[in-house]
Amino acid sequence: MVAAWRAGEDVDGNGAALAPSLAWQPPLWRRLSDELPVPSPDLRTSDSIRGLRRGEVARTGGLPGSVTVFGVLAVPPRHLELLTALAQHAPVTLYTLAPCPAWPAAMAAPRPRHPLLVASGGVARAAHTVLSPHAGRVEPLPAARTAPTTVLGVLQDDLRQDRRRGRDPDAPALVWPAADDSVQVHACHGPLRQLEVLREVLLGLLEDDPTLEPRDIVVVTPDVEAYAPIVPAAFPRRQPEGAGAASDGPPDLPVVVADQAGQDEAVGAALLALLELATARVTASQVLDVLATAAVRARFALSEADLDELQRWLLDTGVSWGIDADHRRELIEVSDDAHTWSAALDRWTLGAAMADDGTRLVGDVRPYDEVEAGGVELLGRVTAAAEAVFAAIRTLRDPRPIGAWCAALDDVLSRLFDPGPGPGRDVVLSAGLATVRGQLDELGTDAVVAGGEGSAVALSLEELRGILTDLLAAGRRSGATGTGAITLTGLQPLRNVPHRVVCLVGMDDGAVPRTAARHGFDLLESPSRPGDPDPRLEERQLVLDAVLSATDHLVITYSGYDPRTNERFQPAVPVSELLDVLDASFVGGAPVVHSHPLQPHSPRYFRPAAPGEAPVLHAFDPHHLAAARAATGATGPPPGFLATPLPTAGAEPTEPDLVELEELVRFLEHPIRFLLRRRLGLSLGEDDRRLATRDPTELGALQRWQLGQQLLELRLAGVDPGPWRRLTMATGTVPVGGLGEVALTGVEELVDRVVGEADGIPGDRRLRPIELVVPTSDVDPGEVRLVGSVELVGSTVLHVGVSRLRARHRLAAWVRTVALLAAAPKLAPRAVLIGGDRTRQSGVRRIALDPVAGLAGRREATEADPPGPRELAGLAELARDHLAALVSLYLRGHLEVLALLPETAAAYATERAGGAEHPAALAAAEHRAWAGNGAVRGERDDAYVVQAFGRDSDLAAIDARHPFGDVADLLWRPILAGEVRP
């Protein structure tokens, strides 16, 4: 290509005309070639090849007696031409790596059959194709390996022989060798757990094989920067200096980190991130990442708590991507600012000035009501930081000469990264700023041309980014690799160096191969011929090389689960392909993928696997064993949560002789949550929402319920729902345009059906106050006042919602209705519950509750058979007695655990009412409500239940420690007796 440029032809490597944006490169090359005092490298190479072929260089002497090139996989074609010409005068021997020796040397373009060679051997295939025309005599070196006896050995042998085991007739699938662990894959909860699991795996290998030493182990990762800082936490140094074999616990494993970036280069990394953002979609998470860099945080005084609060604002206002409408129009010609940073900033700012009453807009902006008094100051800092980022993005878009680029970047450093002078100025940050400014000054000086003026050639942002990548990218410190310790490094430095144990860490989905940033001006970014560099193929080849470099064990770890939600993730594509090959090559044997618990001190590491439980590896850390024993009570059966009641001090309500009706309802809906919040101050179930990178196209289930309930409340309150749709669209959290209209139409249709059902309830809506004195033996003087109010429609306690009717809805309506019966028995109140139900043709379900039938065993009175005064008094007394029992439970719930979850308790009481004995009813309740299934979460998966009883808790075991059968019957038997279904 450059030869053609020298001849005046402005073409690419395939001979095609260059794009106009690249037309500057050939003239620049020609000018450099003319001004340099020596010929260009390609010209010198061509002259050398020509001279060797003609024998001119040989006559001048100075050639070596022989040439050896050792340990390479791919050799550039031009270098091979040079070596071939040199071979006319001296023996040239190439010792090349052959991932697949089965490919004949004469085969110019091998067609691999093994799936891993097909998917990840692209670089090896290209190297073979390039080398084949230049090879004179090919002599395969004999392998020093015996017939493979392990899974890893068979896998490597099949790769080298290009066999498709399990698919080719001459390579049938083998039985997995007993107790073979030569290939291990571990699914963990995040990077730290990967290294913690790796430590236990390596300790096990070292214990099983006394000849294995730390220097025989290499840990390879595609992201050294992410894993290097957490190595000390995962591989702690706990043994005292000079401790011998008699010390308690396993030995410390020495780990040396190579290929790691320096800490004083954070400013350069932040500047590169900003330059990447300038041509990106500017998603919420991308901007948040920039704001979270040390330099920006110091400049705008943003703390971790501030960034957490900002993330909540972003989630609440639906920011996905884009600065504003103009920015989005430039990228995809979308002419609205919905889900942009600009729309969110408008909502936040307006919310700081006025409250959101749910009925008005200012223009098309709805105030965001969560920017409270303390948040106004944070809003100012966030706004300043975001506007500085967006101003930098706009500033850095246009092409300009290198001098102007350096001035613009220096201005960005001052505005975005430099916190200014002060006693608290970070020394490392100051050093990083000085380093980057010095590098920019050198870059500007280097761009000075003859006459002392700066170059006038305009560079695009992509071109500048390519230059600055080498200038500002995090420098690498060459870690020692022969220290006798375990080496943690990137994929490249120890490539093809054999180790007895090779560990691939961080093989998460998307980690390999990565999507490389394109500079736009690099003509090698679109490889078209064998031998052209391709970063994605190169990374795949590096993984394949690592697999072939392991002589005894291959250990792979990846983030298989979300540490917060336990959501399951897939490994990197090359790992999935490796697992597919193993599945096809072997039958039987233990699972290759080991799923690990969230915590390193899980009891599963220190006991045999329970029936139906996947076994995990043996753990060695005595500190984790101590924690597991403490968690499970290793000296006896595990104690119940709060095995003894809490002290009464602090348990009293604000007014000891008064209980609010709604507080009683909240307690009965979830007694465990009530106890943990009220007495222990625990608030669980954090916001697990994640920032979106794309605009929403549909409503999620939770959002659909929230919007439906909001509209339903407006309709029931008689408020004009007309502005609701416009107000909802203004929140920025729903799809825009036609998608949003369709989604909201579905919500409106559901609400219409529910309201239509509710309109059939006769009577006016009113609020009825409740004040009762109920007896109880739990407090002195033996009675409490139950106060509150109940909303009525006529004489009906009405619950209307858009969600499916559940046990907690029935429970709440029941308690309110019984309280009303005790306070005003003449009303003969009943409850009606109306909710959405997609399984019914009408889309609505209706349930009625008759407290008279539930408590007294008779159906509600009619006009023809009204109850007399004595009967009314008796009904009121029954209702008060029932309320007294519930209040007693409420007071007990301040001191002890009542495992009375609504769905489980209702299922248990239903079975008991049908005649089932306690054990059978307990088992049925666990199956129907407690344990759940793959599609529906059970009540034991509730965050508060997990906190109290652990994950996957057993209902029978909980009942043995905290009996709930009697209280479930006490609460639910009358509800079930009073239930009337149409």
Side-chain angles (χ1 to χ4, degrees):
M1 179 180 68
V2 293
W5 289 0
R6 190 180 302 106
E9 300 176 17
D10 296 351
V11 296
D12 61 15
N14 294 320
L18 285 172
S21 61
L22 302 174
W24 57 270
Q25 296 194 38
L28 176 61
W29 175 266
R30 288 190 286 266
R31 181 171 178 179
L32 286 173
S33 299
D34 292 341
E35 294 187 3
L36 288 174
V38 296
S40 63
D42 76 299
L43 193 58
R44 296 199 303 271
T45 302
S46 298
D47 292 343
S48 298
I49 294 173
R50 191 180 306 108
L52 286 169
R53 289 173 176 170
R54 295 174 178 174
E56 298 172 356
V57 177
R59 287 193 294 270
T60 62
L63 291 179
S66 64
V67 175
T68 300
V69 180
F70 185 81
V72 296
L73 173 64
V75 181
R78 196 64 168 165
H79 292 181
L80 284 173
E81 290 184 34
L82 180 61
L83 292 173
T84 301
L86 179 59
Q88 298 177 11
H89 308 281
V92 176
T93 305
L94 274 71
Y95 290 88
T96 64
L97 298 170
C100 185
W103 292 343
M107 181 185 295
R111 295 183 178 180
R113 303 169 65 248
H114 194 286
L116 294 185
L117 290 173
V118 173
S120 300
V123 173
R125 295 198 306 271
H128 185 96
T129 299
V130 171
L131 180 61
S132 179
H134 302 276
R137 180 170 59 90
V138 178
E139 181 181 347
L141 296 179
R145 299 176 64 90
T146 58
T149 57
T150 65
V151 170
L152 177 61
V154 171
L155 172 66
Q156 293 173 339
D157 192 60
D158 288 342
L159 280 165
R160 293 186 175 101
Q161 301 305 319
D162 200 6
R163 284 193 298 257
R164 297 185 303 173
R165 185 163 301 279
R167 301 176 184 176
D168 291 344
D170 59 341
L174 303 176
V175 176
W176 191 286
D180 186 289
D181 61 353
S182 59
V183 178
Q184 306 177 27
V185 181
H186 300 271
C188 310
H189 292 75
L192 179 59
R193 284 294 291 132
Q194 290 189 52
L195 290 182
E196 290 173 340
V197 167
L198 179 64
R199 175 176 178 262
E200 301 294 347
V201 171
L202 296 181
L203 286 171
L205 295 179
L206 289 165
E207 182 184 55
D208 294 340
D209 187 353
T211 66
L212 183 65
E213 300 181 21
R215 65 181 178 182
D216 300 323
I217 302 170
V218 63
V219 180
V220 181
T221 174
D223 192 354
V224 176
E225 301 303 327
Y227 286 85
I230 57 178
V231 166
F235 289 81
R237 306 303 296 266
R238 290 173 174 159
Q239 298 291 357
E241 291 294 333
S247 301
D248 293 335
D252 293 335
L253 296 182
V255 179
V256 171
V257 179
D259 199 31
Q260 184 182 2
Q263 293 182 352
D264 58 348
E265 292 160 335
V267 175
L271 183 57
L272 286 174
L274 181 67
L275 294 177
E276 293 288 345
L277 192 61
T279 54
R281 296 168 64 240
V282 191
T283 65
S285 58
Q286 286 175 329
V287 177
L288 200 59
D289 287 344
V290 171
L291 298 182
T293 58
V296 177
R297 286 179 54 189
R299 169 66 177 82
F300 295 97
L302 297 172
S303 66
E304 290 285 352
D306 293 338
L307 294 175
D308 290 341
E309 182 71 2
L310 173 58
Q311 179 165 325
R312 185 171 71 88
W313 293 357
L314 291 168
L315 289 166
D316 289 347
T317 49
V319 178
S320 57
W321 69 275
I323 300 174
D324 50 25
D326 292 339
H327 179 240
R328 301 188 98 180
R329 189 181 303 111
E330 293 173 3
L331 295 178
I332 60 171
E333 299 183 359
V334 172
S335 58
D336 66 74
D337 67 349
H339 314 297
T340 65
W341 279 87
S342 174
L345 286 167
D346 288 345
R347 287 202 63 197
W348 301 342
T349 304
L350 189 60
M354 66 173 59
D356 178 17
D357 61 3
T359 62
R360 61 180 174 180
L361 300 175
V362 177
D364 289 326
V365 181
R366 181 174 179 174
Y368 176 64
D369 215 19
E370 297 299 319
V371 182
E372 301 173 352
V376 174
E377 191 269 339
L378 172 60
L379 175 61
R381 288 183 281 120
V382 167
T383 301
E387 289 181 349
V389 170
F390 301 149
I393 290 174
R394 294 186 177 96
T395 300
L396 300 176
R397 288 179 179 176
D398 299 328
R400 67 198 74 186
I402 194 67
W405 272 120
C406 292
L409 292 176
D410 185 72
D411 183 64
V412 168
L413 290 175
S414 298
R415 293 176 179 273
L416 199 56
F417 299 141
D418 192 344
R425 184 181 174 95
D426 188 282
V427 176
V428 175
L429 178 60
S430 299
L433 279 166
T435 299
V436 172
R437 285 191 165 117
Q439 291 169 325
L440 291 176
D441 289 342
E442 292 180 7
L443 181 63
T445 302
D446 291 342
V448 174
V449 296
E453 296 183 359
S455 171
V457 177
L459 300 181
S460 68
L461 174 59
E462 292 80 3
E463 294 161 347
L464 175 80
R465 196 162 54 202
I467 295 172
L468 292 183
T469 296
D470 292 335
L471 186 66
L472 299 178
R476 303 288 174 180
R477 292 198 293 266
S478 57
T481 57
T483 62
I486 299 170
T487 301
L488 186 145
T489 184
L491 291 170
Q492 182 71 40
L494 294 180
R495 178 179 190 173
N496 294 310
V497 177
H499 285 78
R500 292 184 62 185
V501 179
V502 173
C503 309
L504 286 167
V505 172
M507 300 300 289
D508 305 348
D509 186 20
V512 177
R514 291 170 290 188
T515 301
R518 299 179 68 88
H519 300 131
F521 65 87
D522 190 348
L523 295 177
L524 295 179
E525 286 182 340
S526 300
S528 59
R529 294 188 297 183
D532 287 350
D534 186 328
R536 291 177 62 83
L537 289 181
E538 181 70 18
E539 287 193 353
R540 277 182 164 272
Q541 184 70 52
L542 288 170
V543 174
L544 187 60
D545 293 345
V547 172
L548 291 168
S549 298
T551 58
D552 292 352
H553 294 275
L554 174 66
V555 181
I556 300 174
T557 69
Y558 72 98
S559 294
Y561 300 93
D562 188 295
R564 296 183 305 165
T565 65
N566 210 41
E567 178 185 356
R568 190 160 190 170
F569 299 142
Q570 294 298 316
V573 172
V575 177
S576 296
E577 294 166 348
L578 172 64
L579 294 174
D580 291 340
V581 168
L582 293 176
D583 286 341
S585 302
F586 295 91
V587 295
V592 182
V593 180
H594 305 271
S595 295
H596 288 265
L598 173 64
Q599 302 294 347
H601 54 263
S602 169
R604 292 176 57 193
Y605 286 117
F606 305 98
R607 60 167 171 78
E613 186 178 67
V616 295
L617 301 181
H618 176 68
F620 294 85
D621 196 312
H623 298 80
H624 295 161
L625 174 60
R629 283 174 172 166
T632 59
T635 58
F641 179 71
L642 297 181
T644 59
L646 292 170
T648 57
E652 304 86 356
T654 306
E655 299 183 47
D657 62 343
L658 182 142
V659 175
E660 293 185 3
L661 179 61
E662 289 307 306
E663 188 80 349
L664 175 62
V665 169
R666 281 193 291 271
F667 162 76
L668 293 172
E669 287 180 331
H670 203 317
I672 298 174
R673 179 179 62 197
F674 183 90
L675 175 66
L676 294 181
R677 282 183 174 178
R678 175 64 64 88
R679 291 302 309 279
L680 303 183
L682 295 180
S683 182
L684 306 177
E686 295 86 355
D687 193 346
D688 285 328
R689 295 175 297 168
R690 299 185 182 184
L691 293 173
T693 58
R694 296 180 176 84
D695 292 350
T697 57
E698 60 182 359
L699 297 178
L702 177 60
Q703 190 179 20
R704 180 182 174 87
W705 172 81
Q706 291 172 331
L707 293 175
Q709 202 65 27
Q710 180 188 88
L711 177 59
L712 178 62
E713 291 171 1
L714 291 175
R715 293 280 301 273
L716 293 177
V719 178
D720 179 17
W724 173 82
R725 181 178 288 232
R726 185 165 172 245
L727 286 164
T728 302
M729 297 290 282
T731 64
T733 59
V734 299
V736 297
L739 293 175
E741 297 293 337
V742 171
L744 295 185
T745 297
V747 172
E748 290 170 336
E749 291 174 350
L750 173 61
V751 171
D752 285 341
R753 291 194 293 268
V754 172
V755 171
E757 186 72 22
D759 285 343
I761 306 298
D764 297 330
R765 187 178 295 272
R766 59 196 174 96
L767 205 62
R768 176 66 161 80
I770 299 289
E771 183 168 355
L772 297 166
V773 176
V774 297
T776 175
S777 60
D778 294 76
V779 295
D780 187 33
E783 61 182 25
V784 298
R785 288 187 303 130
L786 182 66
V787 300
S789 59
V790 177
E791 189 175 34
L792 290 171
V793 176
S795 61
T796 301
V797 177
L798 183 62
H799 166 86
V800 184
V802 295
S803 64
R804 183 180 177 183
L805 295 177
R806 300 193 178 276
R808 61 185 177 86
H809 300 136
R810 289 184 285 160
L811 178 59
W814 170 262
V815 174
R816 295 183 181 112
T817 308
V818 171
L820 189 60
L821 177 63
K826 290 184 179 180
L827 286 176
R830 62 198 297 265
V832 173
L833 295 90
I834 301 171
D837 191 339
R838 295 184 180 182
T839 64
R840 301 175 68 87
Q841 185 174 2
S842 64
V844 177
R845 180 179 292 275
R846 173 174 174 158
I847 298 175
L849 296 176
D850 178 7
V852 175
L855 296 173
R858 57 161 286 182
R859 290 298 168 190
E860 61 182 329
T862 63
E863 293 183 5
D865 184 23
R870 179 175 296 179
E871 187 175 4
L872 289 175
L875 291 174
E877 188 67 23
L878 285 174
R880 277 193 298 273
D881 290 344
H882 186 62
L883 290 172
L886 301 186
V887 169
S888 295
L889 290 178
Y890 168 82
L891 296 174
R892 281 177 56 192
H894 285 71
L895 306 176
E896 60 182 282
V897 175
L898 293 176
L900 198 65
L901 277 297
E903 297 291 343
T904 302
Y908 172 86
T910 301
E911 293 297 319
R912 292 284 283 156
E917 296 294 331
H918 174 72
L922 206 62
E926 174 150 18
H927 175 71
R928 288 171 49 188
W930 183 255
N933 54 55
V936 179
R937 284 162 49 95
E939 286 187 319
R940 72 178 181 184
D941 297 322
D942 178 87
Y944 291 92
V945 175
V946 172
Q947 180 67 35
F949 304 122
R951 194 173 296 280
D952 299 334
S953 52
D954 179 74
L955 184 61
I958 294 174
D959 179 62
R961 301 192 298 270
H962 308 283
F964 83 104
D966 291 342
V967 292
D969 268 338
L970 169 70
L971 177 60
W972 278 95
R973 191 177 289 270
I975 298 177
L976 297 174
E979 190 169 294
V980 181
R981 291 177 180 261

